[in-house]
Structures are given as structure tokens and as C-alpha cells.
Amino acid sequence: MNKIALLVDSCTDVPKEYQERYHIYVMPLMIIYKEGEYYDGVNITPEEVYERFNEEIPTTSLPSPETVMNTFKQIKDDGYTHVIAVTISSGLSNTWSMVSSVAREFEGLTITVIDTKNIGIGAGFSAILAGQLLDQGLSYEEVCRRLMENVEHTKLFFCVSTLEYLQKGGRIGLVASLLGTAFDLKPIISCNEDGIYYTVTKVRGRNKSLKKATELAEAFAKKYKRYNLTVMHGGAKEEADKIVSELKAVLPNIQIMVEGQITPALVVHTGPGLIGIGVQRIEE
């Protein structure tokens, strides 16, 4: 019998509850300050990143090839024969290509690396779905097929207080045309089919942007019979809680609801005030 392991990078933002339930291995990205480096979500918290923004906006980097290689070795030593590795979009990070490169060189495991074309829990939903499907007894090949097929049926809409952090981190994608606007225009951002940030629409002011993002997520969810839903935030819990209540009232067929604070590495690139609302199809 195949023994199948699940592996994610830390920016997929899979909550600890699901990491433990499905025995998911996590490769942390690095958060780099002038005085030292930290492992995302391991020895630094989102609150610490926020507190230090006035002094320094850090950078992030991929897990090292050595870290990935050692993780594969650990998985093999733990008795697994196959790995499904889920990463954030190849259009936003080199994590997918680096993990794929190490996987090709590693002997003794059958490894598939899923490019989710998404970010945060929008990517992490694929790992949670993989855990559910494996629990249902589906084969390795079938689970991988389902995950790849579901990429286009998973959508995350997010709002940021300022584009400054996306710009400084080089993650501005196709949103750049809004920089410098003097009209308080707020973009609703998502990932396109290539997994690159783009502006879905733009509205004036914070409240209207959150309302529009909520409406877009609701409309996307209503295309399906059943769906997973997420509302994640970056230091904006009250706003997130309000949106959770609104969506639960109008979306009766939520299978899994994921909510909470985003991981420190995502904080670096979005700054304070992020709201992300995501939907993953479970059944047409």
C-alpha cells in the first residue's frame, strides 16, 4: 500500500488544526531582518512583524534547498512512499520551482508538486482538500488529479490598506497601475489564471472595498452546491469577524470555515489591514 504524505510551504497558511489532523509537513519561509533571520510562524509572530514595521520592513526568502531536501528525507524516514507537495503560486514565488527541482533529484519517493496559482489559504485549501480525499480512500493519482482540476475553482479576493508593502516586496503584479492615485481608490485583488496578482475591480474607500470583496466571494460561492470558505485578516480581526457573520447568513452550504490571522511572511508583503475572503469548490 502507498503511504502518502502531505507537504506545504508556510505561506499556504494551513491552520495548525488541519496540519495536525492530516499530519501535514510544513516548510517555513524565511523572514530576514538586518540583525538576523527567522522561520515563518516558528520563532516569529505576526504581531512582532507589525511592531517592527516602523523600524524596518523585512524581506522574505524561500525555504533553502537543503531544508526541502531534509524534509523529504524526514518524510521517507517516517515510512512514506509518496508525497503531495502544495505550494503558493509560481507566479508569486519561486517556491514551486525550487521544490520541484529538489523533488526531481530526490530518490526513494514519488513526489507531485501542486502549483495552486494562489496565495495564503487560497493555496492551503488544496492541502486540506487532499487530506479529506485521502481520508476517503482515494488513490494518489486521483487526489493529485482532483487538486489540479480544482485550482481554477478556488478564488481569493483581498483588500489591503495600502499597496506600499506589495510594491516593496516586488509582489505588485498587475496592480501597479493604481499606485500613486489620489482618489482613495482601493483595489480588490485576486490571482489570475497565471497565478499573478491583478485588480478585479476598484472602489473608493475602505468600507466599500470590503463590501465589494464580500459580494464577489458570495457570488463565486453561489456557483457551487458546496464550498469551503475563508476569511483571513492581517491585524483586522473586528472587520473580519463582521464579514464572517455576514457570509454565514447568506451561504448555507459551507463545508469548512477557516478564519484567523495570516502568517508572518504574508504580513511582510501585505502590511496591516489585510482582509482576504476565499472560496473553494467542493461540489458543483
Side-chain angles (χ1 to χ4, degrees):
M1 288 290 291
N2 296 334
K3 190 177 179 189
I4 303 166
L6 299 177
L7 172 65
V8 297
D9 69 69
S10 61
C11 280
T12 60
D13 228 358
V14 176
K16 288 275 194 296
E17 171 192 351
Y18 293 100
Q19 291 177 25
E20 293 167 3
R21 181 180 303 177
Y22 299 122
H23 311 289
I24 298 174
Y25 294 79
V26 181
M27 303 171 288
L29 273 73
M30 303 300 297
I31 298 173
I32 303 164
Y33 286 93
K34 290 170 186 169
E35 49 79 22
E37 299 181 349
Y38 298 85
Y39 291 99
D40 184 28
V42 177
N43 58 351
I44 190 167
T45 66
E47 291 72 28
E48 288 169 330
V49 176
Y50 289 129
E51 287 166 8
R52 296 177 65 171
F53 270 150
N54 286 337
E55 307 161 29
E56 183 182 355
I57 298 175
T59 57
T60 60
S61 73
L62 316 179
S64 70
E66 182 182 17
T67 295
V68 178
M69 184 69 76
N70 288 337
T71 305
F72 284 144
K73 286 177 182 174
Q74 183 64 59
I75 289 171
K76 185 180 176 185
D77 289 346
D78 289 344
Y80 290 93
T81 58
H82 292 63
V83 181
I84 299 172
V86 172
T87 72
I88 57 172
S89 173
S90 62
L92 298 173
S93 166
N94 289 323
T95 305
W96 177 84
S97 59
M98 188 271 289
V99 174
S100 297
S101 177
V102 175
R104 283 192 294 270
E105 296 174 13
F106 194 87
E107 296 181 358
L109 287 172
T110 300
I111 304 168
T112 299
V113 189
I114 305 291
D115 182 358
T116 62
K117 307 290 188 183
N118 222 315
I119 190 71
I121 190 63
F125 265 153
S126 288
I128 294 172
L129 178 60
Q132 292 175 309
L133 296 174
L134 291 172
D135 274 0
Q136 293 169 20
L138 273 66
S139 70
Y140 178 77
E141 292 77 13
E142 179 64 11
V143 173
C144 292
R145 186 190 70 77
R146 292 267 198 105
L147 296 186
M148 291 175 187
E149 182 189 76
N150 220 34
V151 164
E152 66 181 282
H153 298 288
T154 305
K155 194 79 171 171
L156 184 68
F157 302 95
F158 69 94
C159 307
V160 290
S161 291
T162 170
L163 294 172
E164 173 190 1
Y165 297 90
L166 284 176
Q167 183 188 27
K168 285 184 176 175
R171 300 295 191 276
I172 198 71
L174 304 175
V175 186
S177 61
L178 276 171
L179 286 171
T181 179
F183 301 106
D184 195 28
L185 286 176
K186 300 290 186 183
I188 315 299
I189 302 169
S190 191
C191 293
N192 66 13
E193 62 274 10
D194 298 316
I196 296 170
Y197 291 148
Y198 78 106
T199 302
V200 180
T201 187
K202 46 189 182 287
V203 293
R204 191 156 291 144
R206 171 77 171 179
N207 290 336
K208 286 182 180 176
S209 72
L210 297 183
K211 184 174 186 294
K212 185 63 177 176
T214 303
E215 290 170 354
L216 287 167
E218 178 187 341
F220 189 81
K222 284 183 173 176
K223 296 195 299 182
Y224 308 119
K225 285 184 183 174
R226 289 188 305 136
Y227 34 80
N228 292 335
L229 185 71
T230 183
V231 180
M232 300 295 284
H233 70 89
K237 187 176 186 305
E238 286 187 15
E239 289 173 316
D241 287 347
K242 183 171 180 281
I243 292 168
V244 168
S245 297
E246 290 171 358
L247 286 173
K248 281 183 174 178
V250 294
L251 295 176
N253 300 317
I254 301 167
Q255 178 168 300
I256 287 177
M257 180 79 209
V258 176
E259 52 189 294
Q261 164 69 46
I262 58 171
T263 187
L266 293 175
V267 167
V268 170
H269 292 290
T270 56
L274 170 104
I275 293 286
I277 310 169
V279 179
Q280 178 190 47
R281 174 194 71 174
I282 295 301
E283 183 184 356
E284 288 281 10

